[in-house]
Amino acid sequence: MLALNNFFDIGLFTVKTWKLLGTLKVHEHVINGIAFAPDGKILAYGDQAGVTLRDISSGDELQRFESESFSQIAFSPDGKLLAVTTPSEKSVRLLE
């Protein structure tokens, strides 16, 4: 599966055929970064107000980390930590 950022929405596509599987209508903030959990079941995305975790199959919001703007996001190999960059601090934060 491939996730593409369309400013306020995220399109989910099959990699081989580019068939659109669905669109996550996220919210009013522009999306800055996207990452899949290693198991492919959770999608994390960051915006100017924080980071959101969503269940891929249902589209449900699982958790929201309210904070400042986040831009780049990556899961740890075991999926237990989420590393995010904050442009203003020029640092990396780890979220559990």
Side-chain angles (χ1 to χ4, degrees), residues 9-49:
D9 302 326
I10 298 172
L12 300 173
F13 297 85
T14 60
V15 175
K16 286 186 178 183
T17 65
W18 281 85
K19 179 183 176 187
L20 179 65
L21 299 172
T23 301
L24 293 176
K25 303 284 185 189
V26 288
H27 49 71
E28 70 272 4
H29 298 295
V30 174
I31 300 161
N32 298 326
I34 303 172
F36 281 103
D39 65 6
K41 296 179 181 178
I42 297 173
L43 183 72
Y45 58 88
D47 59 36
Q48 64 191 19

Side-chain angles (χ1 to χ4, degrees), residues 9-92:
D9 302 326
I10 298 172
L12 300 173
F13 297 85
T14 60
V15 175
K16 286 186 178 183
T17 65
W18 281 85
K19 179 183 176 187
L20 179 65
L21 299 172
T23 301
L24 293 176
K25 303 284 185 189
V26 288
H27 49 71
E28 70 272 4
H29 298 295
V30 174
I31 300 161
N32 298 326
I34 303 172
F36 281 103
D39 65 6
K41 296 179 181 178
I42 297 173
L43 183 72
Y45 58 88
D47 59 36
Q48 64 191 19
V51 173
T52 302
L53 301 179
R54 281 195 184 251
D55 181 277
I56 292 293
S57 60
S58 68
D60 292 340
E61 184 176 305
L62 302 173
Q63 191 168 3
R64 176 96 177 137
F65 300 95
E66 298 288 335
S67 188
E68 63 184 281
S69 177
F70 291 114
S71 56
Q72 297 176 350
I73 300 172
F75 278 93
S76 63
D78 63 5
K80 294 181 180 179
L81 291 175
L82 190 62
V84 296
T85 61
T86 57
S88 64
E89 294 178 5
K90 295 184 172 93
S91 65
V92 174

